[in-house]
Amino acid sequence: MVMNKQDWFASWFDSPYYPILYQHRDHREAEAFIKELLDFLNPGPGAHFLDLACGRGRHSLYIHRQSFKVTGLDLSPQSIEFALKHKRPGLDFKVHDMRDPLPGSYDHILNLFTSFGYFDDQQDNLRVLRNVRNALRPGGTFVLDFMNVEKIIPGLIPF
């Protein structure tokens, strides 16, 4: 996918403000969230997860420690460079634009921490959803995290 100047997200996550804004997000918080999610999903042995828009890989690390294979993809080269410090067999990270076809096939695809809907062109959002559908194995699960639904929905402007 070709970025254009209006794609604020293409550079913002590599800015010095990103780690400052999310400094309160730590491994303990990620582990608590993922533990609950894994309990709900009840993935089978050897399940392969895609952490789409994985950032620095906090969620991926905990999923992998639970003996699952994990691929983390993110648009931010700096985030992936940071995450790659934790690369090991069964845990990999790559720079990737979610609007482009996703590499591989997965039992579970996670798009966490409101990492969807940045695109001005609705066709880009639909492209992401098609890519997810195409990368999910039969019977697979897509988890789309949307923060504080009860607060957001009443004031949501459709367009």
Side-chain angles (χ1 to χ4, degrees):
M1 185 60 52
V2 176
M3 303 289 172
N4 63 51
K5 290 179 185 175
Q6 293 111 271
D7 290 341
W8 62 269
F9 51 84
S11 61
W12 190 87
F13 294 98
D14 282 333
S15 78
Y17 306 110
Y18 173 65
I20 293 169
L21 183 62
Y22 298 114
Q23 64 186 331
H24 65 286
R25 300 287 183 174
D26 61 15
H27 288 280
R28 189 174 55 241
E29 174 265 335
E31 289 176 11
F33 175 74
I34 293 299
K35 181 183 182 323
E36 294 290 325
L37 182 58
L38 292 177
D39 287 348
F40 178 79
L41 291 175
N42 193 25
H48 189 178
F49 283 78
L50 173 62
D51 187 358
L52 186 59
C54 67
R56 293 179 167 200
R58 293 176 308 122
H59 299 112
S60 296
L61 287 169
Y62 184 75
I63 294 167
H64 183 260
R65 283 201 307 267
Q66 306 314 302
S67 301
F68 298 109
K69 184 176 179 184
V70 183
T71 301
L73 302 178
D74 200 279
L75 187 61
S76 165
Q78 287 182 14
S79 290
I80 293 300
E81 182 180 341
F82 185 92
L84 280 168
K85 295 174 185 174
H86 304 285
K87 181 179 175 175
R88 55 188 51 101
L91 177 63
D92 195 15
F93 298 96
K94 295 181 175 111
V95 174
H96 188 85
D97 187 325
M98 68 175 78
R99 295 173 290 182
D100 294 332
L102 302 174
S105 62
Y106 307 92
D107 300 296
H108 305 281
I109 298 178
L110 312 178
N111 185 244
L112 305 175
F113 202 57
T114 315
S115 298
F116 176 79
Y118 293 158
F119 311 118
D120 290 332
D121 184 345
Q122 288 303 320
Q123 290 305 310
D124 284 338
N125 292 318
L126 290 172
R127 200 171 283 116
V128 172
L129 295 174
R130 283 188 200 102
N131 290 339
V132 166
R133 179 194 64 210
N134 292 338
L136 270 176
R137 293 180 178 149
T141 305
F142 175 46
V143 176
L144 177 64
D145 177 29
F146 187 77
M147 296 178 65
N148 202 347
V149 173
E150 292 170 2
K151 180 176 181 180
I152 298 296
I153 293 283
L156 187 65
I157 299 169
F159 295 97

